[in-house]
Amino acid sequence: MGLISNGTEEQQEAGTRNNNKPPPQTAAELKDEQQQQQLDAGAQFVLKSRGSWIHCGYHLTTSIVAPALLSLPFAFASLGWTVGVMSLVVGAVVTFYSYNLLSLVLEHNAQLGRRYLRFRDMANHILGPKWGKYYVGPIQFLVCYGAVVGCTLLGGQCMKAIYLITRPDGNMKLYEFVIIFGGLMLILAQIPSFHSLRYINLVSLILCLAYSTCATAGSIHIGNSSKGKERDYSLSSNSETRIFGIFNALAIIATTFGNGIIPEIQATVAPPVKGKMFKGLCVCYAVVTATFFSVAISGYWAFGNNADGQILSNFLDDGKYLVPKWFVLMTNLFTVLQLSAVAVVYLQPTNEVLERTFADARRGEFSARNVVPRVISRSLSVVIATTIAAMLPFFGDINAVIGAFGFMPLDFVLPAVFFNVTFKPSKRSLVFWLNTTIAVVFSVLAVIAAVAAVRQISLDAKTYKLFANV
């Protein structure tokens, strides 16, 4: 009896242990786990796949709905009402479509067991290794790092505007504010992964709605009063100026919708990824519709051809504020805070490259072996970006060239090419010809926009001065 009893107890214990075992993994889960183990440090530490579709929406909104939208009334000044509104609608529709194409290609490859976490990895697989190494990778790096420099410069300019509101006779220079903004970036750059930014990017979403509302309300207030200049909606009578103005305006609109990091954003989504990016894009483009159109239309309506490159500059006319000072201060504060979030998002591709180069994936993410080179390398990248922004306050002109050669290919041309190469739609189908038309049209537009941007640099070159206080 004792032997039988002991055997039964052992069997019960064994049964209990078996019941406590986790259920067997599916083939897809095993493949995901194996792929995770093979990831390099950049993908493993920076591009963690843990987020939901709503987090994806936050990241997308921060990367697209940025203070560059405050330049849209200026673009309208070169296009007029009809072409301006049509260009904005086309930009929204084409980029939503293109980003969805990229997402579908990424989902398709993930279902086949090849989940690509980086833009250059997609290019390597779809177009060949030279495309990823010598074109997509460098172009994406230039675009994203250029965006970081641009955000740092604009952040410094907004901080200077706040300073001059509180101290009109102050003598602090622009480069000093750029350095202060760089100090903030130095702290935010140490946030370990893209996924870690999800709540910062939620705040960023709220901030972009806030300053867009302020810009719209301020424009309507000035437009309804007699404070502003007389409105004029006529286009330039000079043919050359008008033509280059149109191309420059189209480049501004295209760059405003630019992203350049769709694969890296989708990389933050936990598997399975199917359908999650589309939901995130819907969240993002709801915000895009609410902000881009309201700011562009109200700003152009209020100021016409006098709309400045940044619409908040129009709230000040010959040293006199057309809206209450506290309102301008608040709007600039919202803008500065969101710029810091935008800059950190566009730092992620650089952080991923640094992590892949200097970190050891076999050691813990927060081990001393990985933390020390992470802090040093990320701090150095921010210091370099801040130095460039402080030295070159005319960097916006340079960024226009980078945007023409970068954002347009990455966001308009390559998604259509990737989809056609991956899914091989019939050459008689509407999808094939729609994608081909988008790729060709925006390739031509990219070249023309680059020429227009170079022309603008040549026109402004005589005013360029290192560390200028503009």
Side-chain angles (χ1 to χ4, degrees):
M1 290 289 292
L3 288 173
I4 295 173
S5 175
N6 288 339
T8 303
E9 288 174 4
E10 289 172 1
Q11 288 172 356
Q12 289 173 342
E13 288 176 9
T16 303
R17 284 195 299 271
N18 288 335
N19 289 337
N20 289 334
K21 284 183 180 178
Q25 290 179 300
T26 65
E29 288 172 335
L30 283 169
K31 190 170 284 185
D32 280 338
E33 187 176 304
Q34 290 169 359
Q35 201 172 30
Q36 188 69 26
Q37 291 170 352
Q38 295 169 1
L39 292 176
D40 57 60
Q44 194 169 319
F45 297 155
V46 178
L47 302 177
K48 294 178 181 177
S49 303
R50 296 181 180 175
S52 65
W53 65 266
I54 193 67
H55 298 150
C56 182
Y58 301 157
H59 300 322
L60 285 164
T61 304
T62 299
S63 61
I64 296 174
V65 189
L69 70 90
L70 298 174
S71 299
L72 289 174
F74 174 74
F76 270 41
S78 296
L79 298 172
W81 279 114
T82 305
V83 179
V85 173
M86 284 178 59
S87 299
L88 209 56
V89 171
V90 170
V93 171
V94 172
T95 50
F96 183 87
Y97 175 73
S98 296
Y99 296 152
N100 196 47
L101 290 184
L102 265 184
S103 176
L104 291 173
V105 173
L106 287 164
E107 287 179 6
H108 173 74
N109 282 286
Q111 288 172 344
L112 296 177
R114 299 186 302 264
R115 187 175 183 190
Y116 298 114
L117 306 181
R118 292 166 286 224
F119 218 135
R120 63 180 181 276
D121 294 341
M122 285 186 75
N124 283 343
H125 171 72
I126 297 170
L127 301 179
K130 290 184 179 179
W131 281 92
K133 186 175 182 180
Y134 297 111
Y135 181 71
V136 174
I139 287 293
Q140 186 193 37
F141 180 82
L142 276 174
V143 165
C144 292
Y145 201 67
V148 174
V149 176
C151 286
T152 306
L153 174 58
L154 186 54
Q157 290 172 339
C158 291
M159 291 178 78
K160 183 185 174 185
I162 293 172
Y163 170 73
L164 291 176
I165 291 171
T166 56
R167 294 189 62 182
D169 299 325
N171 56 9
M172 286 184 70
K173 309 298 184 186
L174 174 62
Y175 69 84
E176 296 176 86
F177 294 102
V178 170
I179 292 170
I180 293 170
F181 188 87
L184 172 61
M185 285 300 306
L186 208 57
I187 298 169
L188 294 176
Q190 308 308 326
I191 295 173
S193 69
F194 206 154
H195 177 63
S196 304
L197 299 175
R198 60 197 182 279
Y199 297 120
I200 289 177
N201 288 341
L202 168 60
V203 175
S204 168
L205 186 155
I206 296 168
L207 287 169
C208 73
L209 288 171
Y211 68 68
S212 297
T213 301
C214 290
T216 303
S219 297
I220 293 172
H221 171 76
I222 296 169
N224 282 327
S225 69
S226 57
K227 296 178 181 178
K229 295 177 181 177
E230 187 177 344
R231 280 170 275 181
D232 179 13
Y233 302 112
S234 62
L235 300 178
S236 174
S237 58
N238 183 291
S239 298
E240 182 184 343
T241 302
R242 186 168 67 250
I243 291 170
F244 277 104
I246 288 170
F247 288 129
N248 190 47
L250 293 175
I252 289 171
I253 291 173
T255 304
T256 305
F257 281 104
N259 180 282
I261 51 174
I262 290 292
E264 285 77 6
I265 291 176
Q266 188 154 330
T268 66
V269 177
V273 297
K274 188 171 178 61
K276 293 180 180 177
M277 192 67 165
F278 179 77
K279 293 179 182 177
L281 281 168
C282 289
V283 171
C284 173
Y285 273 77
V287 180
V288 164
T289 303
T291 55
F292 282 35
F293 286 87
S294 61
V295 171
I297 292 171
S298 65
Y300 184 52
W301 170 77
F303 305 108
N305 293 344
N306 293 316
D308 288 333
Q310 212 255 40
I311 197 63
L312 300 185
S313 301
N314 286 104
F315 292 1
L316 184 67
D317 183 29
D318 294 329
K320 182 182 178 182
Y321 287 95
L322 305 181
V323 292
K325 286 185 179 181
W326 63 264
F327 185 84
V328 179
L329 190 149
M330 178 180 67
T331 307
N332 276 287
L333 181 61
F334 291 153
T335 306
V336 168
L337 293 174
Q338 207 239 355
L339 277 166
S340 64
V342 175
V344 174
V345 163
Y346 279 103
L347 260 181
Q348 297 312 302
T350 304
N351 289 350
E352 184 274 321
V353 170
L354 294 173
E355 205 81 7
R356 180 166 53 89
T357 305
F358 298 112
D360 185 351
R362 296 168 296 180
R363 306 289 289 273
E365 180 183 0
F366 299 106
S367 65
R369 162 65 184 81
N370 289 332
V371 169
V372 172
R374 178 182 303 136
V375 172
I376 293 172
S377 60
R378 293 187 182 189
S379 299
L380 189 60
S381 74
V382 171
V383 168
I384 292 171
T386 304
T387 304
I388 295 171
M391 284 179 61
L392 309 176
F394 48 85
F395 187 78
D397 287 355
I398 300 171
N399 228 7
V401 180
I402 296 173
F405 278 120
F407 275 127
M408 286 197 194
L410 292 177
D411 295 327
F412 294 89
V413 180
L414 286 177
V417 173
F418 283 176
F419 186 90
N420 281 1
V421 173
T422 300
F423 293 101
K424 297 179 174 59
S426 169
K427 291 183 179 179
R428 297 180 179 178
S429 67
L430 176 63
V431 170
F432 175 85
W433 287 108
L434 176 61
N435 292 347
T436 303
T437 301
I438 289 172
V440 171
V441 168
F442 283 94
S443 294
V444 173
L445 185 58
V447 174
I448 295 172
V451 172
V454 171
R455 174 182 176 271
Q456 192 62 43
I457 288 176
S458 67
L459 292 175
D460 295 344
K462 58 187 174 184
T463 64
Y464 291 165
K465 185 180 177 183
L466 293 181
F467 297 101
N469 185 36
V470 293

